[in-house]
Amino acid sequence: MILPPFTLHEPKTVDEAVALKTKFGKDADFVAGGTDLLCNYKYEINAKPHVISLGTVTELKSFDTTRIGAGALLDDVMTDSGMRRDLPVIPAAIGVISSHLLRQTGTVGGNLMVDTRCFWFNQSKFWRDSISGCLKSEGDACRVVWGAKECVAVYSGDLAPVLITLGASVTIAGPKGRRVVPLGEFYEHDGIKRHVLGEGELLVEIRIPTEARTWKASYRKLRTRESFDFPVLGVAVAAKVDGDLLLDAHVNLGAVHTTPLSRDGAISQFIGKRIDEATASEIGEAVADGLVIHNNTAMTPAYRRKMVAVFTKRCFLDVTGKRAVAETASR
Amino acid sequence: MTPPSWNVIGKPIPQVGSRQKVTGEALYTDDLRIPGTLVGKILRSPHASARIVRLDVSAALALPGVHAIVTGKDAPRPFGVLPISKDEPSMGIDRVRYVGEPVAGIAADDEWIAMEAMKLIHVEYLPTKPIDDAKQALAEVANAADKIHPGTKFGNNLHKMVEQHFGDLPKAFSESFHVAKGHFEYAGISHTFTEPMSAVAHFDRDGRLHIWSATQVPHYLHRAMSEVLGLPMSRIRVIRPNVGGGFGGKSDPFPHEMIASLLTMRCRRPVRITFDREEVFISHHGRHPSEIDVAVGCDKNGRLTGLDIDALIDGGAYGSFGVVTSYYNGVLAQGPYRIDNFKYRGRRAYTNKPMSGAMRGHGAVNTRYALELLFDECAEKVGIDPAEMRIQNALPAYTTTINDFRITSNGVVECIEKVRDASGWKDKRGKLPFGHGIGLACSFYISGSALPIHRTRTPQSTVHIKIDMDGGVTVHSMAAEIGQGSDTVLAQCVAEILGLDVSWIRVKTEDSDLAPIDLGSYSSRVTFMMGNAAIKAAENIREQLRKAACRMAGGEPTDWVFRDAKVINTVDPSKSMTYMEALDEALADNGALIASGWYQSPKLGGAYKGAGAGLSPTYSFGAYITELHVDTETGFVHLDKIWAAHDCGRALNPLAVKSQIIGCVHMGLGQVLMEQWDFNHRSKGNIRNPSLLDYPMLTAKEMPPVDVFIVESDDKEGPFGAKEAGEGPLLPILPSVGNAIYDAIGVRMRELPITPASILRALEAKKKGKS
Amino acid sequence: MSQPPKEVIKFEVNGRTVEVAVRPYDVLLDVLRNELDLIGTKRGCDQGSCGCCAIHMDGRPVLSCLTLAKWAAGKKITTIEGLANPEPHPLQTAFETCGATQCGFCTPGFIMSAKALLDRNAEPDEATIKEHISGNVCRCTGYLQIVEAVQKASEELLEKDRPHDASVVERNRQTHPAGR
């Protein structure tokens, strides 16, 4: 497979990168590790004539436990001893992103920006042409929901749900300077729009409040295999606990909606309660209740909804010490 | 018996050619660098079923850098691996029958130009309503022209129907203590070899066509090319470079091989066509999506009374190996248990999908799954240990089945005993906590189809040996090394007979100009047939060396043994000489030593229609036990351990046999737990998961530990007693998982793959059934 | 559409410096195979889902099918051809003797992943080995003998690094003369 032709730009600074993106607008994409974008380009999915490579922007690469440059390599963050000590849920969640090989070049920012996915979209040009495309590619109709006006492709990153529950925010650089947005408000509905980045804007870093270190957190990922596979469900829970007493908690779901999906509203009634198997189950049911999941990834919506309840329960048991916090964030 | 003392046979030596593979020097087809090679690309149909109204390549042909374009009309003669179903054109001529069917081929200076040219080919289609699945294909079609293949004898889209009946099944069932019945459904699956198909064709200035191709069946390719291209076989040379896995997926002649040939014949430049991964999925000829109804009867003592099988398989658009599959779904259930009453109906339907064909364990895998699960149900009803009941029902060695299969060596009981004892079966079965289970299943498989695919009196495998003054032993055979280790078997057989180590042996199995015919790597035939041919050739050479030794030192021909590169006189050791000394004498006045050996299967089987299907000079047997646990909240199956015993007659190379068994376990676990060729009625004939991301094969993380037990029943006709070990070992893993799941949670899963969701559904159904 | 011009980049591959003209959208895999004839690096899926194309870039194992060739500029690349020096690396011989290679198509990728692991962790346990080779797929072997081969190579390398007394070194030299 050959990539569709593009001009490659290799800026040295964030400002240069932003200037290039401002100049080329919708005719340009940023690329960091390339593990998502280049796959899509090989399938001729929304390829642009200009690609701005971020690998040469040194500012993006550094990280510590309070801020992670968007260009920090997944494997570097995962193996960092400070990270493992202070925020073990982050290395655990990175550990289940795709494969060991892919994490060598994949970046934290890249995982946050990973394109939404759908069976009818993540296919070759030949394949898409044979079904006359879809809303997100060359077509004008959604193949998942009959008559849908908005794309329902699924947000399929692993890190965003985790970082959102930890209260992270992101720094965005743009032509008018920098702004900070809570990560929970970064994503926007519609599998095509996806996020709040405006013209020329670039995700620069992720800030993690130091308070997050005092919270217990867990991430569990549903997928067929323990490597390669995107999540078909990710459940992230972060909680302030006193033993099994739940003082505060955040729940965020990945891979069930076009954006990471906060379910904090569904669990407010459980704050202040003691968590045992039964309450954890109730929380799981509450989080799963009313979810609309579309049939456009590997496992069926009915099953994934069931697993929302099971995984949420398990996450709450994890954070209240009923189960050992998983070394890897598996199931 | 004590195994004979051999020097090379039975030794775990590394694969011949492995040094090149680990250093990156091994050349696969796409690695060949022939100067002037053009890039070939295939334009494919976006429709599952359509008439081609207009096809105009003129604009594409005018693009600078495009050297040739060919279409279906350039090679109208259809082909197929089986002479009885040559129904596939190189490219769609006036109609297309599946999404991805080739419509035109382009040769261009580079990939970029070829892709641009592809966009300039104008094809006007008139789409017609596609047939999505086998059941739909059973509907009568009023107008024959509307059938997928108008010429077939059925009034619907059936391709093949097989019916067999032995004994009196209705009577046997009516007298049975229990008849276990089930309807089983299986998704189609793919071989998923790592090397995409690739072919390089070069029509040289002398008018000879050379093709390098990643194929398991160079000889069948040779024949098919001759027919399709209208060239005598003598003007075609087939070269098989290293092949990156096959598993049956490279065992047909393919359109791209024809297209590359047509292109090079047009422009006289070498043309390379290498598939991308999606094209591999489109062209794979994988295991048929199947629906199989099976009934197994037993008496009150657990003795099997009869077996009824009704299989409907989805063949896709063309024949491929499908006629054989239609038989194998039934007849390969004749072992390892004695079945006295047997009825089988097999039907294969044409549908508008990429075709299905042969895949490791061809035709036997899906029925085996059903049979072994129902066997366990019988054992439960009778109240007998399933292992015990299997031992009781096992076919004896040296017997004949009701459908006239000749059974020779048979180590199935030893296999069962080995895994039963090693796994702690008796302490575990039915005794593990809920969610944990252990399951057993057996296998039976051919060790080479006794009949060649086409009618011929030529031996099925011929091996040539040449030795000249340097002493190196050059061995020629067209047996296709596809990673399974056939070159190693060849080298070991010859080395053993000549008393040399394998470093003396030079295996040449690539080139049809040099090597004599072997029918190819399918039906687990190579070790048995090529091995026997190799032994025969090597014995001939040894005879020549013996005579030379006698000439030099006197004594009788029977006095000599060959080992450690020496020719040893057992009567008078002082007469012993080195291999090189004996060779020197043998070459005198004679020139290079040459010899030929061949193998032809004995005449076997009954006289009834279809009696040839499933005939084999010998059969392999096996028994596996799987221990697993089920997460009853998520439905995930976690594999704890596999105990795998396989009777391969004799392990010519235990390392290779072990590799085959573990590899089979891996592939079978994929089919039983996750792999599926995902079709969706809304995807308009497209496979929904034509990528290695979406078509999941097990990674190292899912692979459980496997304890391998090699059982050696010493087959009297096998080379050094050997039988196959490449396909049979796949069969038991699927039902051993199915039976273990039953032991764990009390549900028999009748649909493959067994997904977590299906486990939860089954658990819920069970709960409802009880309440 | 027209193609943008090629640009010459310079990098080190298997210890030698090369200059090669690439297009901005060429991936490293294509450049290695087609421009430098380093055909040991295989194309299995072209999508990062098989690991057949794994190489080392500045010591890190990466998927060359998803790496733009231009990103290699100024870097040190090692491919499977760079491991035998000239005798095969212990990983390579272990893959042979453990039966960890069958068709061999995935083998270079596995060896590159395993080499990166052993460079980082000389004595990995089984779970670590599985983790580090789980970006590679093999359809022939079922992985178990690959894991065994990595363990074996790890032991051999550790053994080699241990200080020998001179007599042992001498004895080894005599029983294993170079070139065999």
Side-chain angles (χ1 to χ4, degrees):
Chain A
M1 280 190 243
I2 44 175
L3 287 164
F6 53 73
T7 304
L8 186 70
H9 305 271
E10 295 190 287
K12 297 276 186 297
T13 65
V14 168
D15 288 348
E16 282 174 40
V18 167
L20 283 162
K21 184 76 170 86
T22 309
K23 179 177 169 194
F24 295 113
K26 290 199 185 326
D27 280 342
D29 272 326
F30 287 119
V31 65
T35 54
D36 185 39
L37 187 96
L38 296 184
C39 280
N40 286 348
Y41 269 38
K42 284 191 176 181
Y43 277 166
E44 296 179 57
I45 291 177
N46 299 332
K48 310 282 166 56
H50 294 274
V51 171
I52 304 161
S53 173
L54 300 170
T56 37
V57 182
T58 39
E59 183 195 332
L60 299 178
K61 297 198 167 178
S62 62
F63 69 91
D64 57 39
T65 50
T66 59
R67 69 163 287 284
I68 305 174
L73 295 175
L74 291 169
D75 192 67
D76 288 350
V77 179
M78 185 184 100
T79 51
D80 181 70
S81 55
M83 205 53 102
R84 285 174 169 254
R85 183 188 62 233
D86 294 341
L87 293 162
V89 70
I90 293 175
I94 292 175
V96 295
I97 294 171
S98 189
S99 76
H100 173 78
L101 276 172
L102 193 134
R103 294 193 298 265
Q104 303 300 315
T105 46
T107 63
V108 171
N111 193 259
L112 293 183
M113 295 298 296
V114 79
D115 201 355
T116 52
R117 298 185 66 82
C118 175
F119 258 144
W120 309 91
F121 167 71
N122 294 99
Q123 301 286 1
S124 71
K125 177 85 165 58
F126 164 77
W127 199 104
R128 298 194 311 278
D129 282 351
S130 76
I131 61 154
S132 311
C134 72
L135 285 179
K136 192 170 158 74
S137 58
E138 302 82 1
D140 52 11
C142 178
R143 306 290 158 193
V144 182
V145 182
W146 194 256
K149 293 280 178 293
E150 286 180 326
C151 172
V152 296
V154 177
Y155 178 77
S156 302
D158 286 294
L159 273 179
V162 173
L163 292 169
I164 291 170
T165 58
L166 294 176
S169 52
V170 290
T171 305
I172 296 167
K176 289 178 195 151
R178 297 194 175 198
R179 61 182 176 127
V180 176
V181 175
L183 187 59
E185 293 165 22
F186 178 76
Y187 296 96
E188 284 197 333
H189 175 57
D190 187 317
I192 297 169
K193 170 101 177 52
R194 295 164 42 212
H195 48 65
V196 300
L197 286 185
E199 206 164 305
E201 285 192 320
L202 169 68
L203 178 68
V204 172
E205 66 178 3
I206 297 93
R207 295 158 168 246
I208 305 160
T210 46
E211 202 213 335
R213 295 178 204 177
T214 63
W215 288 48
K216 299 279 186 201
S218 172
Y219 178 67
R220 285 177 179 266
K221 171 174 182 170
L222 176 65
R223 54 174 167 173
T224 303
R225 298 179 292 180
E226 298 282 295
S227 185
F228 294 114
D229 298 350
F230 279 95
V232 291
L233 165 68
V235 178
V237 169
K240 204 168 179 55
V241 292
D242 182 1
D244 57 2
L245 184 65
L246 192 65
L247 302 173
D248 197 359
H250 300 296
V251 182
N252 198 284
L253 307 181
V256 293
H257 187 62
T258 56
T259 67
L261 193 63
S262 169
R263 298 296 284 165
D264 291 357
I267 61 156
S268 50
Q269 50 181 311
F270 299 98
I271 305 300
K273 295 219 165 135
R274 293 201 178 274
I275 304 300
D276 56 14
E277 183 93 20
T279 26
S281 280
E282 283 175 46
I283 298 175
E285 294 300 331
V287 166
D289 189 46
L291 278 184
V292 177
I293 303 176
H294 293 297
N295 184 11
N296 57 352
T297 61
M299 296 183 188
T300 63
Y303 176 72
R304 281 152 71 202
R305 195 177 314 108
K306 252 183 225 162
M307 290 309 104
V308 170
V310 173
F311 282 39
T312 304
K313 176 184 92 173
R314 291 184 179 184
C315 283
F316 272 91
L317 293 173
D318 290 340
V319 297
T320 49
K322 306 283 168 158
R323 272 172 190 257
V325 174
E327 290 259 317
T328 61
S330 216
R331 283 166 209 152
Chain B
M1 58 164 277
T2 8
S5 73
W6 286 312
N7 293 314
V8 186
I9 292 298
K11 301 288 185 287
I13 61 165
Q15 205 187 55
V16 169
S18 59
R19 178 61 52 91
Q20 286 69 33
K21 288 174 180 172
V22 300
T23 51
E25 287 165 16
L27 294 178
Y28 299 77
T29 304
D30 190 60
D31 300 334
L32 302 173
R33 297 289 178 265
I34 303 170
T37 301
L38 301 173
V39 172
K41 282 278 164 196
I42 297 175
L43 178 74
R44 296 174 180 279
S45 163
H47 300 287
S49 175
R51 309 276 165 177
I52 299 175
V53 180
R54 205 165 76 87
L55 175 54
D56 181 359
V57 303
S58 52
L61 204 48
L63 188 73
V66 172
H67 293 262
I69 296 182
V70 293
T71 65
K73 291 202 168 72
D74 294 316
R77 186 158 177 173
F79 64 93
V81 66
L82 302 180
I84 35 173
S85 58
K86 292 183 184 173
D87 56 6
E88 183 182 9
S90 302
M91 289 159 277
I93 298 171
D94 47 8
R95 61 194 290 175
V96 285
R97 297 177 170 89
Y98 66 94
V99 174
E101 177 154 15
V103 173
I106 300 163
D109 280 334
D110 61 30
E111 189 172 350
W112 162 266
I113 297 169
M115 301 298 278
E116 288 296 296
M118 206 128 78
K119 295 176 198 157
L120 297 174
I121 295 180
H122 180 79
V123 195
E124 201 178 315
Y125 297 97
L126 181 67
T128 50
K129 195 176 168 351
I131 303 290
D132 287 340
D133 64 39
K135 268 192 198 134
Q136 212 184 324
L138 296 177
E140 289 295 311
V141 182
N143 183 355
D146 294 337
K147 291 195 293 186
I148 295 173
H149 290 278
T152 53
K153 66 177 179 183
F154 302 101
N156 55 14
N157 278 302
L158 264 193
H159 166 218
K160 175 75 185 173
M161 177 142 90
V162 173
E163 284 182 300
Q164 292 186 349
H165 195 171
F166 298 96
D168 186 347
L169 191 72
K171 180 164 175 283
F173 274 180
S174 71
E175 291 168 358
S176 291
F177 168 75
H178 180 71
V179 179
K181 290 180 188 167
H183 175 76
F184 292 79
E185 295 189 10
Y186 308 83
I189 60 159
S190 180
H191 317 80
T192 333
F193 35 76
T194 47
E195 180 211 16
M197 287 113 164
S198 180
V200 179
H202 185 204
F203 196 57
D204 70 17
R205 293 293 169 190
D206 295 328
R208 265 197 108 210
L209 178 62
H210 310 256
I211 184 158
W212 292 258
S213 186
T215 179
Q216 299 176 236
V217 287
H219 181 62
Y220 294 141
L221 174 62
H222 203 156
R223 283 176 170 261
M225 283 176 59
S226 171
E227 286 180 22
V228 171
L229 305 170
L231 288 174
M233 283 178 77
S234 64
R235 282 179 60 200
I236 300 171
R237 172 181 170 223
V238 179
I239 308 110
R240 176 205 52 76
N242 280 294
V243 175
F247 316 113
K250 293 170 179 167
S251 63
D252 297 59
F254 282 96
H256 70 274
E257 293 164 327
M258 306 301 166
I259 295 169
S261 302
L262 290 164
L263 288 167
T264 183
M265 288 168 77
R266 186 69 61 85
C267 65
R268 300 260 172 153
R269 293 264 299 267
V271 175
R272 176 209 319 276
I273 295 180
T274 298
F275 281 180
D276 63 33
R277 188 46 69 171
E278 183 179 20
E279 290 180 292
V280 175
F281 276 97
I282 289 170
S283 311
H284 71 169
H285 303 190
R287 197 176 321 289
H288 289 66
S290 311
E291 295 187 25
I292 308 182
D293 287 285
V294 179
V296 182
C298 66
D299 67 17
K300 64 179 188 341
N301 299 317
R303 180 86 194 84
L304 293 191
T305 53
L307 173 62
D308 186 0
I309 302 168
D310 187 354
L312 174 62
I313 61 175
D314 181 344
Y318 295 104
S320 182
F321 271 97
V323 170
V324 175
T325 324
S326 303
Y327 279 103
Y328 280 5
N329 266 291
V331 301
L332 295 185
Q334 281 294 336
Y337 316 117
R338 171 155 308 279
I339 312 272
D340 291 329
N341 300 286
F342 173 68
K343 185 155 88 57
Y344 173 55
R345 180 173 70 157
R347 290 172 297 168
R348 182 179 192 263
Y350 282 127
T351 58
N352 292 111
K353 291 178 188 167
M355 78 204 79
S356 300
M359 179 170 168
R360 200 179 206 176
H362 187 192
V365 173
N366 292 349
T367 306
R368 173 63 45 195
Y369 179 80
L371 171 58
E372 297 287 330
L373 260 68
L374 296 174
F375 192 105
D376 264 31
E377 184 187 318
C378 286
E380 188 182 35
K381 293 287 176 191
V382 174
I384 182 172
D385 180 328
E388 203 45 48
M389 183 164 141
R390 280 177 171 82
I391 291 170
Q392 276 179 28
N393 279 282
L395 283 167
Y398 301 96
T399 184
T400 305
T401 65
I402 186 129
N403 63 343
D404 292 327
F405 289 174
R406 180 194 71 164
I407 305 298
T408 56
S409 60
N410 180 350
V412 71
V413 171
E414 191 183 340
C415 287
I416 297 170
E417 289 168 348
K418 280 249 155 65
V419 293
R420 180 194 64 192
D421 297 345
S423 65
W425 169 262
K426 287 181 175 166
D427 299 325
K428 288 176 179 168
R429 192 191 63 89
K431 295 172 187 159
L432 297 171
F434 184 75
H436 290 252
I438 189 163
L440 164 69
C442 292
S443 77
F444 168 76
Y445 201 69
I446 54 173
S447 187
S449 172
L451 298 177
I453 279 172
H454 53 276
R455 228 175 260 281
T456 177
R457 286 168 56 204
T458 310
Q460 288 149 300
S461 187
T462 304
V463 170
H464 289 171
I465 298 176
K466 183 220 78 174
I467 310 179
D468 214 333
M469 60 178 294
D470 62 315
V473 181
T474 304
V475 185
H476 289 292
S477 160
M478 216 46 205
E481 168 66 61
I482 56 171
Q484 86 282 42
S486 64
D487 279 358
T488 313
V489 167
L490 190 55
Q492 282 186 277
C493 286
V494 172
E496 182 63 50
I497 298 289
L498 297 180
L500 302 171
D501 72 51
V502 290
S503 65
W504 290 87
I505 315 295
R506 305 149 180 170
V507 173
K508 305 286 176 193
T509 56
E510 293 202 342
D511 188 342
S512 72
D513 273 5
L514 304 173
I517 293 170
D518 175 279
L519 295 181
S521 290
Y522 67 96
S523 87
S524 277
R525 53 176 295 288
V526 173
T527 290
F528 195 91
M529 298 191 181
M530 175 204 71
N532 274 320
I535 289 171
K536 219 167 175 177
E539 282 174 346
N540 181 318
I541 293 277
R542 189 174 62 187
E543 222 29 60
Q544 298 180 45
L545 291 169
R546 268 200 182 120
K547 282 182 186 149
C550 289
R551 277 205 304 275
M552 266 177 83
E556 295 299 313
T558 48
D559 295 347
W560 305 92
V561 296
F562 290 67
R563 63 188 308 148
D564 303 331
K566 291 189 186 74
V567 182
I568 300 159
N569 191 300
T570 51
V571 179
D572 177 1
S574 72
K575 290 180 173 170
S576 299
M577 62 189 79
T578 65
Y579 156 72
M580 286 305 288
E581 285 165 343
L583 175 66
D584 205 40
E585 172 63 23
L587 292 173
D589 306 324
N590 189 39
L593 304 190
I594 54 167
S596 177
W598 50 267
Y599 179 81
Q600 184 77 294
S601 174
K603 176 103 183 71
L604 296 167
Y608 59 92
K609 186 174 187 315
L615 284 183
S616 176
T618 183
Y619 296 87
S620 75
F621 296 86
Y624 286 11
I625 283 176
T626 294
E627 186 174 343
L628 51 75
H629 63 277
V630 177
D631 182 331
T632 51
E633 275 189 326
T634 64
F636 269 86
V637 172
H638 299 273
L639 301 157
D640 295 316
K641 184 155 181 175
I642 317 279
W643 292 265
H646 180 74
D647 163 24
C648 64
R650 172 86 57 217
L652 302 183
N653 185 335
L655 188 63
V657 172
K658 184 179 165 197
S659 297
Q660 286 296 316
I661 292 173
I662 299 172
C664 276
V665 167
H666 170 261
M667 192 175 277
L669 288 173
Q671 183 182 1
V672 72
L673 292 176
M674 55 182 75
E675 291 176 30
Q676 61 180 313
W677 204 19
D678 185 6
F679 278 100
N680 180 291
H681 64 97
R682 288 190 297 167
S683 61
K684 299 184 178 173
N686 279 291
I687 311 162
R688 276 214 308 195
N689 53 349
S691 69
L692 291 185
L693 177 61
D694 291 325
Y695 182 95
M697 68 168 118
L698 268 71
T699 74
K701 286 178 165 180
E702 286 81 41
M703 192 62 192
V706 183
D707 273 5
V708 171
F709 302 88
I710 297 172
V711 169
E712 300 189 307
S713 59
D714 188 20
D715 194 78
K716 287 193 168 51
E717 291 178 23
F720 302 102
K723 309 190 281 192
E724 75 92 27
E727 298 190 72
L730 191 146
L731 303 177
I733 185 64
L734 294 85
S736 73
V737 168
N739 283 335
I741 289 174
Y742 182 78
D743 191 47
I745 58 172
V747 294
R748 290 191 213 279
M749 303 303 293
R750 290 179 173 171
E751 202 179 307
L752 300 191
I754 300 168
T755 63
S758 70
I759 292 259
L760 291 190
R761 277 199 304 274
L763 278 170
E764 272 161 36
K766 183 186 158 210
K767 213 160 138 193
K768 277 181 194 152
K770 276 186 180 159
S771 60
Chain C
M1 234 192 284
S2 65
Q3 303 190 67
K6 287 192 174 183
E7 188 187 310
V8 174
I9 57 165
K10 194 167 155 181
F11 57 97
E12 191 185 310
V13 57
N14 301 333
R16 117 188 119 104
T17 302
V18 295
E19 289 187 37
V20 52
V22 303
R23 293 209 160 88
Y25 48 91
D26 283 338
V27 292
L28 186 55
L29 172 63
D30 287 335
V31 170
L32 292 173
R33 288 180 57 81
N34 299 339
E35 306 295 326
L36 301 171
D37 281 348
L38 293 166
I39 49 78
T41 304
K42 303 298 182 197
R43 181 198 320 276
C45 75
D46 234 353
Q47 291 272 340
S49 302
C50 75
C52 292
C53 68
I55 55 150
H56 293 183
M57 187 188 266
D58 285 350
R60 211 181 252 279
V62 302
L63 295 156
S64 62
C65 75
L66 296 181
T67 300
L68 293 178
K70 286 189 75 173
W71 291 344
K75 300 270 170 52
K76 274 174 87 166
I77 304 294
T78 308
T79 69
I80 186 72
E81 288 92 343
L83 254 55
N85 198 16
E87 287 304 306
H89 186 273
L91 265 168
Q92 293 174 308
T93 46
F95 266 62
E96 288 187 76
T97 53
C98 295
T101 179
Q102 282 188 39
C103 85
F105 197 78
C106 70
T107 304
F110 270 98
I111 291 179
M112 295 315 283
S113 289
K115 170 76 165 51
L117 166 62
L118 295 185
D119 289 347
R120 194 198 265 200
N121 176 353
E123 215 171 352
D125 59 17
E126 189 185 321
T128 308
I129 295 171
K130 283 190 167 185
E131 176 62 42
H132 282 247
I133 60 167
S134 64
N136 300 74
V137 293
C138 171
R139 192 58 156 176
C140 296
T141 64
Y143 308 108
L144 302 184
Q145 285 151 295
I146 295 177
V147 173
E148 209 179 298
V150 180
Q151 284 165 334
K152 185 168 183 221
S154 149
E155 283 160 21
E156 269 175 37
L157 286 163
L158 286 171
E159 185 63 31
K160 226 196 242 172
D161 287 348
R162 246 168 235 144
H164 290 283
D165 71 77
S167 64
V168 173
V169 175
E170 179 55 23
R171 199 167 64 233
N172 282 345
R173 212 173 56 79
Q174 282 171 4
T175 47
H176 300 289
R180 274 196 283 170

